[in-house]
Amino acid sequence: MNIMYKVGIVLFDDFTDVDFFLMYDLLGRTVGSWTVSILGTKSEHHSHLGIEVKTDGHISEVINQDVVLITSGKRGIPAVLQDTEFMSALDLNPNTQLIGSICAGSFVLHELGLLKGKPLTTNPDAKAALESIGGDVQDQPLVVQGNIATAGGCLSLMYLIGWLAERLFDSNKRKALQNQLIPAGQSELFETLISKTIKQAEL
């Protein structure tokens, strides 16, 4: 019997385009494994470049998701950290959910208290700011603490979604998701890099 997981992507205004669209694209490369819902505080949110994305529900629905992924945004993240509605609605439980973030999305997890005093990562440009509020920032593309994974740098979504696919299924599921993204003639090179990065992040 196939297991259908519920994946919620948390969105907000001024999100980084590539972080959301690459995440959404990777998750959409499979059917029968999970459903993906875009969750926000409004019926639609606009990216940093002005692209409108309609949401499927309010962010308070994260409580019903098996997986919660938080996107990023150079202007969007500072804004939501000051947004009481946004932060109070993020009722996350790392004991029962898989939780992930890309780039500055780790600020949200840190401020929620989920990663305070624990290693995490973020976009290199945001490292100093996260350290200034007590973040234990690692110079690693992927850092995993139990059921929580943080990824640093837009292209590290390859590792974040790969980690998710392996935790829910196996390495074959990960390879199926990532296959079309790998540059021609470099499949072996990227497979070694991706598998090694995910394994090291779990240590």
Side-chain angles (χ1 to χ4, degrees):
M1 183 177 68
N2 289 334
I3 299 175
M4 283 288 288
Y5 294 99
K6 292 184 290 186
V7 180
I9 298 178
V10 175
L11 209 60
F12 40 81
D13 283 328
D14 278 319
F15 64 88
T16 300
D17 294 69
V18 67
D19 288 343
F20 167 72
F21 289 112
L22 181 54
M23 180 186 293
Y24 194 60
D25 178 89
L26 282 168
L27 291 170
R29 289 172 182 261
T30 185
V31 293
S33 300
W34 46 57
T35 59
V36 181
S37 298
I38 302 170
L39 307 176
T41 56
K42 301 189 298 187
S43 60
E44 71 281 321
H45 286 290
H46 291 83
S47 74
H48 176 73
L49 296 179
I51 299 175
E52 179 184 285
V53 175
K54 295 186 182 301
T55 57
D56 300 306
H58 191 266
I59 55 170
S60 58
E61 294 177 31
V62 294
I63 195 172
N64 301 318
Q65 309 300 309
D66 299 304
V67 179
V68 179
L69 299 173
I70 300 175
T71 49
S72 186
K74 187 174 183 179
R75 291 200 302 256
I77 287 293
V80 298
L81 291 175
Q82 302 301 316
D83 186 335
T84 303
E85 177 191 1
F86 182 93
M87 295 298 290
S88 63
L90 287 176
D91 186 7
L92 304 177
N93 186 345
N95 294 318
T96 59
Q97 296 173 307
L98 294 181
I99 301 168
S101 68
I102 181 67
C103 295
S106 58
F107 280 74
V108 174
L109 300 181
H110 180 267
E111 287 302 285
L112 288 174
L114 298 177
L115 289 174
K116 283 194 174 179
K118 298 179 181 180
L120 74 171
T121 189
T122 190
N123 185 296
D125 290 342
K127 178 182 178 181
L130 187 49
E131 287 181 330
S132 73
I133 58 174
D136 182 9
V137 185
Q138 308 297 305
D139 287 322
Q140 300 293 334
L142 184 70
V143 175
V144 176
Q145 291 290 303
N147 285 338
I148 304 177
T150 55
C154 300
L155 295 183
S156 63
L157 273 166
M158 292 276 284
Y159 308 127
L160 178 63
I161 302 303
W163 166 79
L164 174 62
E166 289 198 6
R167 285 292 296 268
L168 295 179
F169 297 98
D170 52 34
S171 61
N172 289 328
K173 170 68 74 173
R174 170 181 60 77
K175 292 174 186 177
L177 292 178
Q178 298 174 335
N179 181 54
Q180 294 180 30
L181 293 182
I182 304 301
Q186 296 187 333
S187 58
E188 185 176 338
L189 174 65
F190 272 85
E191 173 55 28
T192 299
L193 178 62
I194 293 169
S195 59
K196 181 180 180 180
T197 298
I198 294 173
K199 183 178 294 185
Q200 289 180 335
E202 295 270 13
L203 298 179

